[in-house]
Amino acid sequence: MAETKKTLTDSLWDFLCSLKLAIILVLLLALTSIIGTIILQNGSAADYIREYGQANYELFKKLQFIDMYHSTWFIGILALFSVNLICCSIKNFPRAWKFVREPTLVASPGIFKGSANRAEFSCNGSKQQVAEQISTLLTKEFAKTTLSEKDGKLYLFAQKGIYSRFGAYITHLSILIIMAGAIIGNVWGYKAYVNIVEGSSVDQVLTRNGTETIDLGFTVRCDDFDVSYYPNSNRPKDYTSDLVILENGQEIIHKRIEVNDPLTYKGIKFYQSSYGSAGSAFFKVKVTDNKTGETIEVKAHQGKHVQLPGGYSFAVTNFTENDRNFGPAMQLYVNTPDGKNGAPFVVWQNHPQLDVKRGGIFNFVLLGFEQPQYTGLQVTKDPGVNVVWAGCFLIVFGSLTAFFFSHKRIWVSLEENGEKTKVLIAGNAHRNQPGFSLAFDDLQQKIEASAKNESQKKEG
Amino acid sequence: MNSGQLFNLTTIAYFAAMVLFFAYIATKNNKVALMATLTSLVGFLIQTTALGLRWYESYQILGQDGRAPMTNLYESVVFFAWSILLIYLLMDWKYKQRTIGAFVLPIALFSMLWAQMSLHAGIDPLVPALQSNWLTYHVITCFLGYAGFAFAFGVSIMYLIKIGKEEKHQGDKPMGEVLGLFPPTKVLDDMNYKAIMIGFPLLTLGIITGAAWAYYAWGTYWSWDPKETWSLIVWFLYAAFLHARFTRGWVGRRAAWLSVIGFAATLFCYLGVNLVLSGLHSYGS
Ligand code: HEM
């Protein structure tokens, strides 16, 4: 009983570690991902029924195709994929780590015989002398050497690029890091939006699926929204909003955001995303009380009475963009405190002095006609995003290390044979063998030349 | 001389190079091969100049709103052709296998022909969302990656042609005229792998720079829109290729087919998504 149980866990472990599973899962992810690019995601029921019919809509709902990238089965494949990745790394890592912990300092005869790159020569001099000679050259041309002695022979070992053994592990780890960052963002962050009418402020936003309001914990005010256009064209060049962050009534930050340049405060980002008109247009009017000389600025909506000092009021009754070539003009009348309508008169925006001549109780200046707009902001909080970027950096680093560097090793054995020393050299690279072969040939010739040269000098 | 004319010259040069590569295969004359390679190099240099000139022209037309020439479908197709030539010339320099030009140059030539004949080539000001340096980094990395895959596709086709004939071929007679000129199948297989090894990290970078751009423009680095998803599909396919090759010995014919499928997916990601599906990347419209 105990035995079969063990083999069961063993085979489960082998299954979870297997590369076959990895390849199947990766291909399965690729294949199933196509579904969501063909079928509309997160649409309304009506969209699906119109496009595919009621029966298919029910089927899609059952198969979770409506939001397939967040469906149980897709997340399930991703989870199995991560488990596979973790198990596989746990299983294989010790093998890679062994290269660091226990480098093969003394090459076995098998290495010298079986290696694709090997050389053999004899030269004069003791094995110590030759070893020193070769060691100096290897250190200069390749990498630092380690000398060991075994069974009366001397051995040299040198290696380069051992870190490239870990490129694949770094790549795999970074995939997990990216997924972790995505999970952090999904659990502790949110995606929301808010529309702010120019001049007003908000302290709450609505999640993008519209189900939840979120308290920001501070206030955002939009002072101004603007669309700029390319010269001589009606193509928009930029959308900008002047945003102010307020806490306890204090202005903390002032920033003009634009597309591609959001505002960040306390980990919450505000992105320019849309705009629209908000409410009816109004006139900005400057009113001077001719008795006291006092001036006020008011906003007047067409047809609505606006209070003035001393119980008076006024209302704008008409507006035109261009009155008989005098430019924008409004028509208005003033009410006396007892409610009598005064006679209507006209104020031209570009000719304020004309109203001074009129000589009423109040003098009016038209400052402008404004259509209030709202700015549409996307609001996101994603505490996982830096984890994701860290993973992205590592994945590039890791895959470059895995692909373009290799672990190269060189072994030398020196055996005294009477007056002479017999030298065996072997080299190995864990990838890009053709490239290494060339480098090895070059190195091996240098070693031989240098060793023989030196021994001749000694003789001479 | 404006950049449009230089791009036309480029197209002619690539056409000439392609014809010369075919002529080389027909004549087996090494001088023809050298001429073909030199013609592609000249075409590449003209195109490089043209890209620089178009960049400069954008400043003349748009003033301070000028930008790198990588912002619409036309410019991306032209840049794709340039990237293919870049990768091709580097591989030629390293491997000196001249016949490959006959299988890679046509991809660049068709891109140039399509761009010059039927895509809108105007230098228009950019809508706000496209005004980002990330766009430039994104296009450069993606298209160099795609070019790596295009090269891998070319050598895979050669591999499949050659291996098919080789397996039918009997006896010790030398291979047929043309196929004898192709690199050995082992070399083709290795080049397929090498090109994907170049393309894969570049595509990875392309996806990352795209995500970074989306993050600065819309606040989400990943939203599963069709373009993003297809780039991930392509990435998965080539990841499968690498693992199947590395650990399960999927070399040769299977690897070549995977590479062909990978490139088909790449093309769909690049063009199919815009022309067939719809999404945030409204390049094509
Ligand atoms: C899409 C996701 C994946 C990516 C991008 C990826 C990336 C890589 C890279 C770049 C290498 C180095 C390849 C080479 O040296 O030629 C590699 C090797 C490897 N991968 Fe993956 N991998 C992924 C998924 C997986 C999974 C799920 C497994 C789980 C079994 C796995 C197992 C391995 C193994 C065993 C190696 C060889 C490691 C070694 O050199 O000792 N990979 N991977």
Side-chain angles (χ1 to χ4, degrees), chain A residues 19 22 81 84-85 88 168-169 171-172 175 431, chain B residues 193 235 243 246:
Chain A
L19 235 112
F81 171 79
N84 183 210
L85 201 50
C88 173
Y169 297 94
T171 311
H172 294 155
I175 293 173
R431 53 168 51 248
Chain B
Y193 177 49
W235 192 74
H243 288 79
F246 194 58

Side-chain angles (χ1 to χ4, degrees), chain A residues 16-23 25-26 81-82 84-86 88-89 92 95-96 164-165 167-169 171-172 175 395 398-399 402-403 430-431, chain B residues 193 197 200 235-236 239-240 242-243 246-247:
Chain A
L16 288 178
C17 289
S18 79
L19 235 112
K20 200 169 176 178
L21 178 66
I23 293 168
L25 286 178
V26 168
F81 171 79
S82 326
N84 183 210
L85 201 50
I86 294 169
C88 173
S89 302
N92 290 315
R95 250 203 351 238
S164 70
R165 293 262 179 198
Y169 297 94
T171 311
H172 294 155
I175 293 173
I395 203 172
S399 53
F403 291 150
H430 92 299
R431 53 168 51 248
Chain B
Y193 177 49
M197 249 173 28
F200 188 75
W235 192 74
F236 279 143
L242 290 172
H243 288 79
F246 194 58
T247 37

Side-chain angles (χ1 to χ4, degrees), chain B residues 126-162:
Chain B
L126 295 181
V127 297
L130 295 183
Q131 295 163 22
S132 169
N133 283 335
W134 287 109
L135 170 62
T136 312
Y137 308 143
H138 177 55
V139 172
I140 291 177
T141 47
C142 278
F143 282 89
L144 285 173
Y146 292 176
F149 300 149
F151 186 92
F153 166 78
V155 292
S156 293
I157 295 290
M158 292 176 80
Y159 179 91
L160 290 170
I161 295 173
K162 182 151 180 169

Side-chain angles (χ1 to χ4, degrees), chain A residues 247-263:
Chain A
E247 251 184 308
N248 306 320
Q250 296 281 99
E251 290 193 7
I252 311 269
I253 301 182
H254 201 133
K255 173 164 176 165
R256 165 166 295 195
I257 66 161
E258 56 188 273
V259 184
N260 278 313
D261 186 16
L263 162 69

Side-chain angles (χ1 to χ4, degrees), chain A residues 113-379:
Chain A
K113 273 209 202 74
S115 184
N117 304 292
R118 58 174 191 268
E120 189 180 332
F121 64 89
S122 288
C123 61
N124 298 325
S126 73
K127 61 186 179 191
Q128 278 84 5
Q129 281 170 345
V130 179
E132 201 165 303
Q133 181 65 27
I134 294 178
S135 172
T136 316
L137 187 106
L138 268 179
T139 306
K140 190 167 128 249
E141 301 275 335
F142 182 70
K144 195 163 77 24
T145 59
T146 314
L147 181 74
S148 9
E149 184 160 14
K150 195 181 169 207
D151 303 336
K153 292 193 209 171
L154 282 182
Y155 291 89
L156 286 171
F157 171 72
Q159 64 176 352
K160 234 160 94 168
I162 191 165
Y163 52 84
S164 70
R165 293 262 179 198
F166 300 96
Y169 297 94
I170 295 172
T171 311
H172 294 155
L173 181 66
S174 32
I175 293 173
L176 295 171
I177 292 176
I178 292 171
M179 290 214 227
I183 291 171
I184 293 172
N186 270 305
V187 174
W188 286 286
Y190 55 76
K191 297 184 175 86
Y193 71 92
V194 68
N195 294 336
I196 313 178
V197 178
E198 287 173 298
S200 70
S201 44
V202 298
D203 47 21
Q204 282 189 329
V205 294
L206 198 66
T207 53
R208 258 178 233 176
N209 51 21
T211 53
E212 220 187 310
T213 52
I214 295 168
D215 281 313
L216 289 173
F218 52 86
T219 304
V220 190
R221 190 176 74 214
C222 173
D223 284 345
D224 188 27
F225 171 81
D226 246 323
V227 188
S228 60
Y229 295 90
Y230 284 102
N232 314 319
S233 142
N234 54 4
R235 196 182 257 259
K237 177 174 172 174
D238 215 345
Y239 307 111
T240 54
S241 302
D242 284 344
L243 296 189
V244 180
I245 302 277
L246 299 124
E247 251 184 308
N248 306 320
Q250 296 281 99
E251 290 193 7
I252 311 269
I253 301 182
H254 201 133
K255 173 164 176 165
R256 165 166 295 195
I257 66 161
E258 56 188 273
V259 184
N260 278 313
D261 186 16
L263 162 69
T264 311
Y265 183 64
K266 289 196 168 164
I268 302 173
K269 286 188 184 264
F270 297 85
Y271 296 83
Q272 183 68 59
S273 103
S274 63
Y275 69 99
S277 57
S280 57
F282 60 85
F283 304 91
K284 262 168 118 175
V285 182
K286 194 169 90 182
V287 187
T288 311
D289 185 336
N290 283 335
K291 252 189 276 170
T292 59
E294 197 184 329
T295 64
I296 52 170
E297 264 186 46
V298 294
K299 286 180 186 173
H301 292 272
Q302 191 162 342
K304 296 256 162 63
H305 283 258
V306 181
Q307 290 304 316
L308 290 172
Y312 289 88
S313 67
F314 79 96
V316 179
T317 54
N318 213 342
F319 175 77
T320 170
E321 285 285 353
N322 194 353
D323 180 40
R324 289 164 287 168
N325 287 331
F326 287 115
M330 65 174 176
Q331 186 182 50
L332 68 165
Y333 60 82
V334 179
N335 276 5
T336 55
D338 50 6
K340 283 208 185 93
N341 284 9
F345 58 94
V346 177
V347 170
W348 290 270
Q349 182 170 4
N350 300 341
H351 306 280
Q353 74 287 356
L354 291 179
D355 198 53
V356 178
K357 289 196 186 128
R358 182 177 54 87
I361 306 168
F362 297 97
N363 156 234
F364 294 86
V365 176
L366 175 56
L367 295 174
F369 173 71
E370 284 190 18
Q371 170 63 57
Q373 285 177 309
Y374 70 82
T375 180
L377 306 177
Q378 300 220 340
V379 186

Side-chain angles (χ1 to χ4, degrees), chain A residues 401-421:
Chain A
T401 321
F403 291 150
F404 297 109
F405 296 89
S406 67
H407 181 204
K408 308 179 191 88
R409 291 177 291 176
I410 286 186
W411 295 273
V412 181
S413 88
L414 304 115
E415 185 180 11
E416 263 171 21
N417 196 350
E419 284 287 280
K420 298 211 159 211
T421 292

Side-chain angles (χ1 to χ4, degrees), chain B residues 34-231:
Chain B
L34 186 64
M35 263 169 60
T37 306
L38 285 179
T39 312
S40 3
L41 180 63
V42 168
F44 176 74
L45 293 177
I46 295 175
Q47 190 175 11
T48 310
T49 316
L51 284 170
L53 185 58
R54 189 176 166 93
W55 197 332
Y56 172 75
E57 284 167 355
S58 78
Y59 279 93
Q60 290 197 313
I61 295 174
L62 304 174
Q64 58 175 4
D65 301 314
R67 74 290 156 105
M70 290 160 201
T71 56
N72 59 24
L73 186 61
Y74 170 81
E75 288 175 345
S76 78
V77 173
V78 168
F79 188 71
F80 181 45
W82 184 86
S83 310
I84 290 174
L85 260 287
L86 178 69
I87 300 279
Y88 168 71
L89 288 169
L90 287 175
M91 287 299 223
D92 180 80
W93 185 44
K94 181 137 193 263
Y95 286 86
K96 310 215 162 27
Q97 294 289 354
R98 295 279 141 78
T99 42
I100 292 167
F103 289 82
V104 176
L105 258 279
I107 310 174
L109 174 67
F110 284 128
S111 306
M112 287 308 289
L113 281 175
W114 184 42
Q116 291 303 90
M117 303 204 327
S118 56
L119 293 177
H120 170 69
I123 296 179
D124 299 323
L126 295 181
V127 297
L130 295 183
Q131 295 163 22
S132 169
N133 283 335
W134 287 109
L135 170 62
T136 312
Y137 308 143
H138 177 55
V139 172
I140 291 177
T141 47
C142 278
F143 282 89
L144 285 173
Y146 292 176
F149 300 149
F151 186 92
F153 166 78
V155 292
S156 293
I157 295 290
M158 292 176 80
Y159 179 91
L160 290 170
I161 295 173
K162 182 151 180 169
I163 198 84
K165 287 274 165 56
E166 249 177 25
E167 281 172 7
K168 279 205 213 94
H169 194 76
Q170 260 133 34
D172 290 332
K173 281 184 293 162
M175 285 289 290
E177 293 280 297
V178 170
L179 293 179
L181 222 52
F182 280 23
T185 46
K186 260 182 90 166
V187 172
L188 286 170
D189 181 54
D190 185 51
M191 290 171 97
N192 182 21
Y193 177 49
K194 289 272 160 57
I196 287 172
M197 249 173 28
I198 294 171
F200 188 75
L202 283 165
L203 177 66
T204 310
L205 260 178
I207 295 176
I208 293 170
T209 49
W213 175 28
Y215 183 68
Y216 285 105
W218 296 287
T220 38
Y221 52 83
W222 195 262
S223 49
W224 292 105
D225 91 285
K227 194 87 173 180
E228 285 171 353
T229 308
W230 269 96
S231 67

